[in-house]
Amino acid sequence: MHRDRLTTLALLAGSACLWLAGWAHAAGTVTIEVGRAEYAGLLIEDAKLDWKPAEGAAGRVGARASRIRGVDATGPLSGFQLECSSLVVAGDALTCARGRLRGSLGTLGAQDTAFKARIDDDGGLDIRLESVSLASGRATLEFRLADSRWKATVELRNADLTGLSAIAKPWLPLPEGFTLAGQASGTVRANGRSGNLAAAEIDLSIAALAFANAEGSLAGESVAGLVQAGFTARDGGFDVKAGSIRLSAGQAYSDPLFLDFGVHPVELDFEGRLDPEARRFAASSFALRHRDVLQAGGSATLDFAGESLLTEAQLKIELLALEGAAPAYLQPFLIDTPFKDIAGAGSVSGDIDIAGSLPTRAVLEISDVLLDSPSGALSVTGLRGQLRWYDDALRSRLAGTIDDALFQSRVSWDAARLWGLEIGAVDLPFTTTGRHFRLLEPKLLPIFDGGLAIEMLRIRHAGTPQMYLRFDAELEPISVAPLARAFGWPEFQGTLSGSIPELQLSQGVVTLGGNLEASVFDGQVVVRELQLREPLGKFPRMHASIDVDNLDLRLLTNTFSFGMITGRLSGGMEDLETFDWMPVSFDARFETPPGDRSKHRISQRAVTNLSSIGGGSGGGVAAALQGGLLKFFDDFGYDRLGLSCRLDNDVCRMGGVEKAGSGYYIVKGKGLPRIDVIGSQTRVAWTRLVRQLGSIMESEIVVE
């Protein structure tokens, strides 16, 4: 016969003492010793019962046993002692007004507590234990047993939650690997039949709560608050009514969310069902108030033992306040992105559905939202609109049953900034389903004093190896200076314009349906045969050929600390290959275009720097420019200039505009005084050349 620990204590306190003490009273002074006995499924060893008469009362009764086996809920009892110093007999009723219980009671541990007990004339048993040692705390226990039905009330004082979970394990087992610690005080009421729990109510104050699942994806530390709930057994599980949780201190983590209840307390009211293994809780309704962050309600299913805590949900967001929600709910998902420090203001409301731990629908209203990244990655003001997103399965199921307009989204903003790019007001209509996105009509995205005229933007299978992107746009003239400032480049002059035709991302490769054309430095730059592999991977690779036509060298050289050069420059770079954005091979040549009739002048500083790059004696040229008549000239005329480099295996094979003895002309002079820059090195280490160019660009020394 299986009994829970409360029933067992009642049987020991009542049946073993009070009932036996009753017939002992009828027979006179009696002492009974039994080496081994079985009673109500219990195996009792070395039992001793005695009764002594006492004036004014029915007598004094005691019961002892060295060991009691068969108590499944607690394990064996040892050193069991039960004494009643004042037993009163009234008809068929027995009352112990003053009693003492001692012994090691299995998982309940060592006990020494006063008690009161009574057996009614109908056989019902009532016991009150004044101070039970329970889970490293203390408890007052009131218990009633009638036939096999029982009721219990426990008043807890600073009980250890680890110990309580061990005691409750037969009815409410924790998921495997789940750990629980902390303290609880309050009241627990329960009733049942034999060893079965029928119903329970809890009203507890929790302090220093710590918990974690086996995977570490769910955890809490120093949590404090109040917990209330009513449980009714049904079909092996429990229906939960009038549940509420109030958390006012501590922190909790559910990958990747981190919540600080001391800063933003949480109030949660719920009803639902807990499964027999206490692994899943299905909330038929809940109301959540996360102070200054979120007000929401709906239904949800929690899986305490699974990889994802929230597996099913229908959420109604009454208010998501972004000032509090951005650090709590947005930043954790962006921790590995440049937007990890995003802050916000404004509000979001709407509905979100989740099935199989994944969202299936989101219909959100965005109201006067401001987003800002202190690091400068992103800023948006006046963001508003409606976002309607469905997963693929739901979208297909609803197709033809609702108006297509209900699948469309529209957002707008007053101003935005992305990595320093100033973007003006825009209104964007689009649809988004699953991992797919499509802009519904051409739009001009204002950028500084120009813009990007988007004809088509379509994305499929975003974030997967099958991701596909199609993008067609025209770049309307944008001043290069603010663009350069935004990206931290030297401040170019002129404008940037051109086209981006049929840009596609398919199977991890970016290609263009035509040439990428741009106007810059009063000339043209054309990118041909562009291929970009794994652009979002760890080591992106690029192939392209670049044509440069008629750039204004004054605009170009004024941008860098290189020295002034006037004239035009044409050329290009064939078969450029990069790995992780670093060039590994190309065949490049840049020179004065044939028939250029513009003014050709070059400053002293530019002469020195070009001589250094070509392997000529930069120091010797500098000394010559500072001595003799040359020092009186700020600049010199030239006929042609140019450089070539064929990069392979980290070696740059260099050349100029034509041969000059054993070297090559980088600058072929013209007029008086004439100065030529002749390169002598035809093989230069690429890494060394890059370092040399970087030093020249960063140099503050002015020779001219």
Side-chain angles (χ1 to χ4, degrees):
M1 181 178 180
H2 298 294
R3 304 283 184 176
D4 62 89
R5 59 177 52 81
L6 296 178
T7 306
T8 300
L9 287 174
L11 288 170
L12 291 174
S15 300
C17 181
L18 298 181
W19 279 317
L20 292 176
W23 71 255
H25 168 67
T29 302
V30 175
T31 298
I32 300 176
E33 295 186 13
V34 180
R36 183 183 177 92
E38 292 188 16
Y39 178 80
L42 302 177
L43 178 60
I44 305 172
E45 301 175 4
D46 300 326
K48 181 179 180 180
L49 303 174
D50 59 61
W51 170 74
K52 295 179 182 180
E55 185 177 355
R60 182 184 186 92
V61 177
R64 295 173 177 79
S66 64
R67 196 168 188 84
I68 302 175
R69 303 177 186 272
V71 187
D72 295 333
T74 64
L77 315 184
S78 60
F80 182 80
Q81 299 181 42
L82 188 70
E83 296 182 359
C84 179
S85 60
S86 177
L87 179 67
V88 176
V89 180
D92 291 334
L94 298 176
T95 302
C96 177
R98 295 191 305 275
R100 198 84 191 171
L101 173 66
R102 298 182 179 89
S104 179
L105 307 187
T107 56
L108 292 179
Q111 301 293 336
D112 184 356
T113 178
F115 76 89
K116 297 178 181 179
R118 175 182 172 84
I119 295 180
D120 296 331
D121 52 11
D122 60 0
L125 173 65
D126 290 286
I127 295 177
R128 178 182 172 87
L129 302 175
E130 297 292 345
S131 183
V132 176
S133 176
L134 184 64
S136 302
R138 309 300 296 182
T140 299
L141 186 149
E142 293 184 356
F143 183 80
R144 176 169 177 79
L145 177 68
D147 295 325
S148 60
R149 298 184 182 277
W150 56 267
K151 292 182 179 180
T153 300
V154 182
E155 297 284 347
L156 295 174
R157 298 182 294 279
N158 300 322
D160 177 64
L161 288 172
T162 303
L164 287 179
S165 65
I167 294 171
K169 186 175 181 179
W171 308 291
L172 296 174
L174 292 176
E176 185 176 353
F178 196 94
T179 59
L180 186 67
Q183 290 184 329
S185 299
T187 303
V188 177
R189 295 180 175 86
N191 65 79
R193 186 166 188 168
S194 298
N196 298 318
L197 177 66
E201 295 179 2
I202 61 173
D203 187 353
L204 298 177
S205 171
I206 304 298
L209 171 64
F211 59 88
N213 63 1
E215 298 79 14
S217 59
L218 176 66
E221 183 176 353
S222 303
V223 178
L226 302 174
V227 178
Q228 296 176 321
F231 299 83
T232 302
R234 181 173 63 85
D235 299 332
F238 293 91
D239 292 333
V240 182
K241 299 289 186 181
S244 70
I245 298 175
R246 304 289 186 265
L247 303 177
S248 56
Q251 298 84 36
Y253 172 78
S254 178
D255 188 26
L257 300 178
F258 175 82
L259 304 179
D260 190 331
F261 304 122
V263 178
H264 300 289
V266 166
E267 297 180 0
L268 177 64
D269 297 309
F270 58 90
E271 293 187 347
R273 179 164 177 78
L274 186 67
D275 74 356
E277 292 79 26
R279 296 169 61 91
R280 292 171 65 89
F281 176 67
S284 57
S285 66
F286 74 89
L288 173 65
R289 294 170 295 281
H290 191 184
R291 185 185 298 174
D292 299 328
V293 177
L294 174 66
Q295 294 182 29
S299 61
T301 299
L302 304 180
D303 186 350
F304 302 111
E307 295 183 0
S308 177
L309 176 63
L310 184 62
T311 60
E312 312 285 335
Q314 289 184 317
L315 308 178
K316 176 69 174 180
I317 300 174
E318 299 174 13
L319 176 66
L320 180 70
L322 283 174
E323 184 174 358
Y329 299 150
L330 291 181
Q331 290 180 7
F333 291 97
L334 303 173
I335 194 66
D336 294 324
T337 75
F339 310 111
K340 60 186 176 182
D341 59 349
I342 198 75
S347 65
V348 176
S349 60
D351 301 319
I352 297 177
D353 295 341
I354 295 173
S357 302
L358 296 173
T360 60
R361 183 180 74 103
V363 178
L364 302 176
E365 185 76 23
I366 304 168
S367 302
D368 197 24
V369 164
L370 179 148
L371 297 173
D372 186 54
S373 171
S375 63
L378 174 69
S379 174
V380 182
T381 59
L383 180 65
R384 55 196 173 272
Q386 303 83 35
L387 173 65
R388 297 184 177 98
W389 174 89
Y390 297 80
D391 74 352
D392 293 326
L394 182 59
R395 175 67 173 83
S396 298
R397 192 161 64 248
L398 293 176
T401 65
I402 63 176
D403 191 331
D404 284 348
L406 295 179
F407 295 115
Q408 298 178 8
S409 302
R410 183 178 291 270
V411 297
S412 61
W413 61 75
D414 295 334
R417 185 185 70 251
L418 181 63
W419 287 302
L421 290 179
E422 298 292 342
I423 304 172
V426 72
D427 177 67
L428 297 175
F430 60 92
T431 61
T432 176
T433 300
R435 293 178 176 268
H436 315 310
F437 173 95
R438 180 166 63 93
L439 188 66
L440 293 177
E441 59 187 63
K443 282 291 178 179
L444 174 65
L445 195 66
I447 301 175
F448 294 119
D449 56 351
L452 185 65
I454 304 173
E455 289 295 321
M456 175 184 290
L457 175 58
R458 180 176 295 174
I459 303 172
R460 297 175 183 167
H461 310 296
T464 73
Q466 294 76 39
M467 180 175 174
Y468 171 83
L469 179 145
R470 171 68 184 272
F471 181 66
D472 291 308
E474 292 285 337
L475 192 62
E476 298 192 352
I478 302 173
S479 295
V480 177
L483 279 175
R485 287 195 298 269
F487 293 128
W489 298 340
E491 193 165 316
F492 296 4
Q493 300 300 313
T495 60
L496 180 66
S497 62
S499 63
I500 307 173
E502 299 182 24
L503 185 148
Q504 295 189 55
L505 169 64
S506 180
Q507 297 181 340
V509 180
V510 174
T511 59
L512 286 174
N515 296 333
L516 180 63
E517 301 176 2
S519 299
V520 64
F521 298 125
D522 198 32
Q524 291 292 120
V525 176
V526 177
V527 179
R528 300 179 282 108
E529 303 166 3
L530 174 67
Q531 280 196 354
L532 180 58
R533 296 183 179 273
E534 301 181 18
L536 304 179
K538 189 174 182 180
F539 299 111
R541 293 171 293 163
M542 185 182 73
H543 173 273
S545 292
I546 302 171
D547 296 329
V548 172
D549 183 40
N550 217 34
L551 301 189
D552 187 332
L553 277 171
R554 178 185 290 274
L555 294 177
L556 179 61
T557 57
N558 280 349
T559 301
F560 303 99
S561 300
F562 189 85
M564 184 274 295
I565 305 175
T566 66
R568 294 283 172 166
L569 186 72
S570 295
M573 186 178 292
E574 293 292 326
D575 298 323
L576 168 65
E577 297 279 353
T578 69
F579 181 79
D580 195 21
W581 307 114
M582 295 297 294
V584 293
S585 67
F586 59 75
D587 187 358
R589 184 177 187 86
F590 300 96
E591 61 185 352
T592 303
D596 178 27
R597 301 176 64 86
S598 62
K599 186 177 181 180
H600 292 178
R601 304 295 293 178
I602 183 168
S603 69
Q604 287 198 21
R605 186 177 186 192
V607 168
T608 301
N609 287 332
L610 285 174
S611 177
S612 177
I613 291 173
S617 177
V621 171
L625 291 173
Q626 293 299 313
L629 292 175
L630 294 182
K631 68 180 179 180
F632 297 107
F633 292 87
D634 294 326
D635 53 61
F636 308 92
Y638 71 90
D639 178 33
R640 288 188 298 154
L641 58 76
L643 270 173
S644 66
C645 168
R646 176 174 291 179
L647 176 64
D648 185 41
N649 199 25
D650 198 42
V651 173
C652 185
R653 298 178 181 272
M654 299 188 66
V657 292
E658 62 179 73
K659 287 186 176 296
S662 60
Y664 50 88
Y665 283 107
I666 298 175
V667 178
K668 187 173 184 179
K670 180 180 180 181
L672 294 175
R674 174 175 174 144
I675 188 165
D676 296 319
V677 179
I678 299 174
S680 60
Q681 292 186 353
T682 58
R683 293 171 56 90
V684 178
W686 172 250
T687 51
R688 172 192 165 195
L689 182 60
V690 170
R691 287 195 302 269
Q692 190 173 6
L693 286 169
S695 298
I696 291 172
M697 299 305 180
E698 295 173 3
S699 173
E700 297 296 330
I701 300 174
V702 178
V703 179
E704 19 182 348

